[in-house]
Amino acid sequence: MMQQYQSIKKEYPDAILFFRMGDFYEMFNEDAKEASKLLDIALTSRNKNKPNAIPMCGIPHHSANMYISRLVKGGKTIAVCEQVEDPKQAKGLVRREVVRVITPGTVLDDNLLDPKSHHFLVALYFGKEQTGLAALDMSTGLFKVTELPRTSADLLRDELGKLDPKEILIPENSTNGNEAHPPMLQGTDYFIQPVEDWTFHHSQAHRVLVEQFKTKTLDGFGCEGWPAAVCAAGALVQYLKETQKSALQHITSLSTFSTQDCMMLDQSTINSLELVQSSDGQRKHSLLGHLDATCTPLGARRLREWILKPLIRLESIQQRLDLVGHYREHLIERNDLREQLKHIFDLERLLGKISMSTCTPRDLIALKNSIRVFPDIQQMIERCPLPAMQAISSGWDNLESVYQRIDERIEDDPPLNIKDGNLIKPGCDEELDRLKAIMKDSNQAIANLEAREKERTGIPQLKVGYNKIYGYYIEVTKKNLDRVPDDFIRKQSLVNTERFISPELKQYEAEITGAEEKVQAIEQRLFHEVRQAVADEGTRIQAMARCIGELDALLGFAQIAHQHNYCRPQMNESDVLRIQNGRHPLVELIDPNQPFIPNDTQLDCNQHQVAIITGPNMAGKSTYLRQVALIVLMAQIGCFVPAEEAEIGLVDRIFSRVGAQDHLQKGQSTFMVEMNETANILNNATRKSLIILDEIGRGTSTFDGISIAWAIVEFLQGPDRIGAKTLFATHYHELTELERLFPSVKNYNVQIKEWNDEIIFLRKIVPGGADKSYGIHVARLAGLPEEVLKRANEVLFNLENSEYDEVGTPKLAQPQPPAAGPQQLGLFGESPSPLVQKLKQLDLDNLTPRQALERLYELRDLLKNG
């Protein structure tokens, strides 16, 4: 047995081998040591207390999923080795084989899958000019590919950030030396799995794909001309075939996608706008969490895709908005549909388990119960007159054949395990029904046999019994042994009785004891037939899953729009962004007792292209910036928006540089991160983009920061520059001077009210620049000691009045009375004094002595008069 273990372990040296022995999975040697620590189970040994002791640990096979989940969460790979022949029929050692390799990207266990997110396995192929990217969710069968420029590491990281892969396959030769990650993925923490280079060769990858899809070319999938993508996709399928040991029936097609087909969002924007998770890592407090009013996991996953890839085609956006508007107004229709959707289970993941032969009987019943409501939903959506809904209803499939196949054979309330019996309905198989009747009537049959034998032998004390060791027997007291017929065969002798077996009882025993095993075998066969028939309809089931997901997401939008009083945005191809009384969709819900102050927005690419927004900290500048960006994004995913009115010209990208953070792993400071993200904006934004910038330049010295911020605004504004619609929040009041220089720049500020040396935030954005920073006022609100605040006012007074001593040192150490109000320094410093101007005008080389004396008196008088 250990030789068998060692030979199998050699094939999977990097995996923890779960070696099936009876009712347990056993682990040996280093696997046992590692697993015992990670799983907190006892480590023992074979040949204990001997020189050749072998470390080992084990887990019950029926609870293996729980232990596998813990190991996979720890980034481990598990090879599951099963007994592949019946021990009762095996000659010698039971044959064992690895039936599946479980990695972080290939799990199917519901405990490890987030029902509202895809679980992607990604393969990357680094070609000379293009990087091929293939992404597959094995639990749902979703398979898609794209190609990205080989030189664009940032674009690759952005796409990976949206996919959130649990495992990435790369060619073995793509890493440098001992580095775990290839150069383009340095600094990331993805689980990287190097695989053999030959699986990425184009001819091999192409062959694997056409065999999987049973086609001659890949033209029908739109990727025949994408060689790098084909290399990645083929290697991914080959990896799954080697690890899953199955036909991958639910992987029936793949789709191509391009970063040009939707609004591009970089990872910085996704994070700063908190699109799919909040700054504290929670889904609940993100835009996704807020908009998720879906009733099914199918809708929740579709919603996440929409948020990360907003539409850029006006027609598609209008179709979504039409449906949302219809169901917002038709409350009863919406509620009836949503009630029906609540009966639908996760069709995609049910199909995944069915196709991978890991489903239970209850999974088939869940699929049947989901299909049961399809006809009712079809009738409801056919009442909607909109063309977009007609397109959905015209492709509707009630999957009657799938429903009937399950309903005819599988019991409505089956056991969890196929070996537990009572799985197949009566009438499906004559032999099964006969054997079940034998099992059901066995007690009565034995009682009838006992009565007949009593009558035949004339022994009233004769009885038929059973035990696990000897099986069925006829028991006769010793005083009646002379009445025992010749066909009774002695089986066991006891003190006062003898036990016999008769030919008839022997036949009953064979039938009864063998019936259970035969029933189990027949039920398993019939179950697998049903499972295979359902798996063969995978394409139809997947198509309906997509329809259900889309319908669910749109109905969720309608529910949110009705619940929070959102308006339909007016979408067009112009460059206008006009929002009346817009609100932040998340912030307005924080405190229902505190009314949210709405604000207007007016931007275009001409006279209102750049808005400079000033005002104190905590006044709401960042909230306003995010609010505008979220309203635009919500509109382009087909959702109503939090505003009274909104006119939104389509944007191709949203860039967000809001918030500050260090990238310590990359050795980058806050300012370096800020500059990297700003450079990305300036290098990639177009006239159709929307840019929001918050406090650019604050990570360096004041004058450096002002200079950088000033130059950035100049670079963005004007028709001969980028010309993108831009909101720029800043504390540098000097930037308000830009409005005088450029007609496309407008100043706005957040209103505040001063009262008794305190400030009240009014949260209203109004035209004009702020004249104060109010930093010390905000510090007072934060609770700084009064002594610190007083001293800060003194220092501020000296700095703003350029107070220096005789040797040019600022008089910061010399207390001064606080000014009536701090004055903001101008960008170009204070105007030179008349005395200095007079001195500069003197032509000393051409002055006579008398003229020089006169000029000296003039300068003295000028100095006296200030």
Side-chain angles (χ1 to χ4, degrees):
M1 188 276 297
M2 287 306 298
Q3 289 177 348
Q4 183 188 54
Y5 171 83
Q6 293 292 356
S7 65
I8 295 174
K9 177 63 181 175
K10 285 181 181 178
E11 298 179 19
Y12 302 92
D14 299 325
I16 295 177
L17 183 61
F18 274 35
F19 192 74
R20 182 69 176 269
M21 294 176 64
D23 291 335
F24 284 80
Y25 286 115
E26 301 289 357
M27 289 151 276
F28 300 100
N29 299 322
E30 294 304 316
D31 284 359
K33 294 178 183 179
E34 185 173 23
S36 65
K37 291 180 181 178
L38 294 173
L39 300 176
D40 193 24
I41 57 178
L43 178 67
T44 180
S45 63
R46 295 179 70 89
N47 301 327
K48 195 172 183 179
N49 299 323
K50 294 183 179 180
N52 61 341
I54 301 172
M56 66 173 291
C57 66
I59 60 169
H61 78 93
H62 58 79
S63 58
N65 283 343
M66 177 181 68
Y67 293 103
I68 290 173
S69 298
R70 291 168 63 181
L71 291 173
V72 171
K73 286 179 180 177
K76 301 300 178 182
T77 297
I78 297 93
V80 181
C81 180
E82 295 283 4
Q83 297 173 174
V84 293
E85 62 178 337
D86 189 343
K88 296 178 181 178
Q89 301 176 357
K91 295 180 179 180
L93 190 64
V94 176
R95 186 162 57 89
R96 294 177 173 87
E97 292 178 2
V98 171
V99 297
R100 188 177 171 216
V101 179
I102 304 172
T103 68
T106 61
V107 297
L108 292 174
D109 183 6
D110 291 338
N111 294 325
L112 285 172
L113 295 172
D114 179 356
K116 295 190 173 185
S117 299
H118 281 293
H119 194 95
F120 280 117
L121 169 69
V122 163
L124 297 175
Y125 173 73
F126 303 104
K128 292 182 178 179
E129 296 182 356
Q130 299 288 323
T131 295
L133 184 154
L136 171 68
D137 182 348
M138 200 178 72
S139 67
T140 66
L142 177 63
F143 193 12
K144 55 185 181 179
V145 297
T146 191
E147 289 188 345
L148 306 170
R150 178 70 169 85
T151 56
S152 181
D154 289 339
L155 187 57
L156 174 61
R157 292 193 186 100
D158 289 341
E159 285 304 310
L160 291 176
K162 295 170 188 174
L163 294 169
D164 187 24
K166 302 303 181 284
E167 181 178 3
I168 298 178
L169 310 179
I170 60 171
E172 287 180 328
N173 68 356
S174 60
T175 58
N176 292 334
N178 296 323
E179 294 285 349
H181 290 43
M184 296 184 76
L185 297 180
Q186 292 293 336
T188 63
D189 57 358
Y190 295 116
F191 181 86
I192 303 294
Q193 181 67 56
V195 296
E196 294 176 297
D197 293 342
W198 64 268
T199 63
F200 286 89
H201 292 169
H202 187 271
S203 58
Q204 162 67 15
H206 190 278
R207 181 182 63 78
V208 168
L209 292 175
V210 295
E211 287 179 358
Q212 175 66 31
F213 302 132
K214 298 178 176 57
T215 59
K216 292 185 178 180
T217 72
L218 299 175
D219 286 326
F221 306 108
C223 61
E224 187 69 45
W226 291 20
V230 169
C231 291
L236 192 154
V237 172
Q238 180 66 33
Y239 178 76
L240 289 180
K241 287 186 173 182
E242 293 176 358
T243 57
Q244 305 309 299
K245 314 290 184 181
S246 70
L248 308 174
Q249 280 184 277
H250 64 307
I251 303 175
T252 58
S253 67
L254 81 164
S255 60
T256 60
F257 71 97
S258 169
T259 55
Q260 307 301 318
D261 295 337
C262 59
M263 182 196 295
M264 294 180 65
L265 299 170
D266 57 42
Q267 199 59 42
S268 172
T269 299
I270 293 171
N271 292 339
S272 65
L273 294 182
E274 300 179 307
L275 296 185
V276 294
Q277 66 178 25
S278 61
S279 57
D280 57 3
Q282 294 189 43
R283 183 183 189 275
K284 179 180 179 181
H285 300 131
S286 66
L287 180 68
L288 173 60
H290 170 62
L291 294 181
D292 188 2
T294 57
C295 301
T296 70
L298 303 167
R301 291 197 294 271
R302 181 57 60 92
L303 173 61
R304 188 179 191 277
E305 292 176 18
W306 287 358
I307 288 176
L308 292 176
K309 293 185 177 292
L311 299 171
I312 55 175
R313 290 183 61 247
L314 184 60
E315 181 182 2
S316 301
I317 297 171
Q318 297 288 23
Q319 287 178 352
R320 286 187 190 174
L321 290 172
D322 288 344
L323 285 173
V324 173
H326 174 83
Y327 285 108
R328 184 197 182 194
E329 299 303 321
H330 294 78
L331 174 64
I332 296 177
E333 287 184 35
R334 182 176 80 242
N335 288 342
D336 288 346
L337 269 172
R338 284 168 57 82
E339 282 301 315
Q340 294 297 331
L341 289 174
K342 291 176 183 178
H343 296 289
I344 297 178
F345 291 82
D346 195 336
L347 301 179
E348 291 177 326
R349 286 191 170 154
L350 286 174
L351 177 62
K353 291 197 284 186
I354 291 168
S355 299
M356 298 294 292
S357 303
T358 62
C359 69
T360 68
R362 292 181 186 177
D363 290 328
L364 287 178
I365 296 302
L367 177 61
K368 184 190 84 169
N369 291 338
S370 299
I371 298 173
R372 190 196 305 272
V373 302
F374 281 14
D376 293 335
I377 294 177
Q378 183 182 26
Q379 291 181 4
M380 293 178 186
I381 64 176
E382 285 177 348
R383 299 175 196 151
C384 178
L386 296 174
M389 186 57 80
Q390 294 302 315
I392 294 177
S393 62
S394 64
W396 193 265
D397 182 354
N398 283 324
L399 301 175
E400 294 97 337
S401 60
V402 177
Y403 180 90
Q404 291 174 0
R405 180 64 66 102
I406 300 172
D407 186 56
E408 289 171 357
R409 296 209 168 188
I410 307 299
E411 287 282 1
D412 293 335
D413 187 18
L416 181 62
N417 195 307
I418 61 174
K419 295 181 179 180
D420 292 340
N422 296 321
L423 172 61
I424 303 298
K425 285 183 174 180
C428 295
D429 186 276
E430 290 185 7
E431 178 65 9
L432 177 63
D433 291 343
R434 188 185 73 82
L435 292 169
K436 283 188 174 182
I438 291 174
M439 293 173 61
K440 180 179 180 181
D441 301 333
S442 62
N443 290 337
Q444 186 60 46
I446 293 300
N448 293 339
L449 184 146
E450 182 180 290
R452 289 196 302 271
E453 291 296 348
K454 284 180 180 180
E455 183 180 354
R456 181 168 76 94
T457 63
I459 306 173
Q461 293 83 10
L462 179 148
K463 64 178 183 180
V464 178
Y466 174 84
N467 66 38
K468 293 183 178 180
I469 298 175
Y470 292 100
Y472 286 95
Y473 56 82
I474 299 172
E475 188 171 272
V476 180
T477 59
K478 287 192 175 181
K479 69 179 182 178
N480 291 308
L481 288 179
D482 59 333
R483 299 185 186 184
V484 172
D486 294 337
D487 59 348
F488 277 23
I489 303 168
R490 192 182 302 276
K491 195 168 188 178
Q492 185 184 14
S493 295
L494 300 176
V495 176
N496 297 317
T497 60
E498 293 285 336
R499 290 176 175 176
F500 300 88
I501 187 81
S502 70
E504 186 180 4
L505 182 59
K506 192 172 183 178
Q507 181 181 352
Y508 267 114
E509 181 179 41
E511 287 187 344
I512 293 170
T513 57
E516 186 174 346
E517 290 184 5
K518 291 177 182 177
V519 164
Q520 190 179 101
I522 294 173
E523 288 203 328
Q524 286 187 34
R525 173 176 60 80
L526 295 174
F527 174 78
H528 290 315
E529 288 177 1
V530 175
R531 183 197 61 74
Q532 184 58 50
V534 173
D536 291 341
E537 302 292 349
T539 302
R540 294 172 61 197
I541 297 172
Q542 287 174 330
M544 281 305 298
R546 287 191 291 272
C547 285
I548 295 293
E550 183 171 338
L551 178 62
D552 189 16
L554 290 170
L555 289 172
F557 283 170
Q559 180 74 13
I560 292 292
H562 172 81
Q563 185 175 345
H564 299 292
N565 192 30
Y566 289 175
C567 77
R568 174 171 180 159
Q570 303 304 310
M571 307 299 297
N572 53 51
E573 299 277 6
S574 73
D575 61 9
V576 173
L577 174 55
R578 182 182 59 82
I579 300 169
Q580 182 177 332
N581 285 331
R583 314 185 304 275
H584 192 293
L586 300 176
V587 176
E588 72 168 336
L589 301 178
I590 292 177
D591 185 358
N593 298 319
Q594 183 73 26
F596 185 89
I597 306 301
N599 276 296
D600 297 342
T601 302
Q602 178 69 49
L603 291 174
D604 56 48
C605 293
N606 298 303
Q607 296 301 310
H608 298 85
Q609 185 231 319
V610 179
I612 304 292
I613 304 166
T614 49
N617 280 319
M618 294 179 60
K621 299 192 301 297
S622 298
T623 297
Y624 174 70
L625 264 59
R626 289 188 173 99
Q627 159 186 319
V628 173
L630 289 174
I631 287 175
V632 172
L633 185 139
M634 289 171 65
Q636 291 196 213
I637 64 174
C639 182
F640 281 27
V641 299
E644 283 187 9
E645 291 183 14
E647 179 186 357
I648 299 174
L650 293 182
V651 304
D652 59 358
R653 293 191 68 162
I654 295 176
F655 290 98
S656 173
R657 172 48 251 178
V658 179
Q661 59 179 338
D662 292 336
H663 282 187
L664 299 179
Q665 290 181 336
K666 298 180 181 180
Q668 296 179 355
S669 66
T670 300
F671 182 65
M672 187 62 182
V673 172
E674 179 183 291
M675 290 299 99
N676 282 338
E677 295 176 356
T678 304
N680 174 56
I681 295 172
L682 300 182
N683 290 325
N684 292 288
T686 71
R687 184 178 173 85
K688 296 283 288 182
S689 302
L690 171 65
I691 301 172
I692 62 173
L693 300 171
D694 189 20
E695 307 295 351
I696 295 299
R698 63 181 166 184
T700 185
S701 69
T702 301
F703 290 137
D704 280 352
I706 293 172
S707 303
I708 293 170
W710 185 290
I712 287 171
V713 174
E714 284 191 350
F715 190 81
L716 289 170
Q717 68 79 38
D720 56 340
R721 298 285 190 169
I722 293 176
K725 295 183 286 291
T726 304
L727 294 174
F728 195 122
T730 183
H731 279 288
Y732 297 140
H733 297 192
E734 294 81 0
L735 298 186
T736 58
E737 299 293 326
L738 288 161
E739 184 182 59
R740 301 180 182 181
L741 302 177
F742 305 107
S744 62
V745 177
K746 305 298 180 187
N747 288 329
Y748 294 89
N749 73 92
V750 188
Q751 270 190 322
I752 61 98
K753 183 177 182 180
E754 293 188 68
W755 181 262
N756 293 335
D757 204 26
E758 294 183 0
I759 56 173
I760 301 171
F761 299 118
L762 301 181
R763 315 290 187 192
K764 199 68 178 176
I765 306 294
V766 295
D771 56 356
K772 298 179 183 179
S773 292
Y774 298 98
I776 296 176
H777 294 78
V778 175
R780 175 174 285 107
L781 293 176
L784 264 65
E786 189 62 34
E787 181 181 351
V788 174
L789 298 172
K790 181 179 179 182
R791 183 64 179 130
N793 268 312
E794 294 172 354
V795 174
L796 178 65
F797 176 83
N798 285 317
L799 285 173
E800 291 185 332
N801 288 278
S802 301
E803 294 279 341
Y804 299 95
D805 62 16
E806 304 81 33
V807 294
T809 303
K811 298 180 180 178
L812 299 184
Q814 302 176 19
Q816 299 290 336
Q823 300 297 315
Q824 179 65 44
L825 293 173
L827 175 64
F828 303 107
E830 297 179 353
S831 301
S833 69
L835 179 64
V836 173
Q837 291 178 327
K838 284 285 186 181
L839 284 170
K840 287 182 177 180
Q841 294 170 1
L842 291 178
D843 185 3
L844 299 178
D845 293 331
N846 296 315
L847 286 177
T848 64
R850 184 173 180 82
Q851 289 174 327
L853 187 59
E854 290 174 353
R855 298 293 181 271
L856 187 57
Y857 280 114
E858 291 176 2
L859 292 172
R860 184 195 63 182
D861 295 339
L862 190 60
L863 183 60
K864 285 182 178 180
N865 297 328

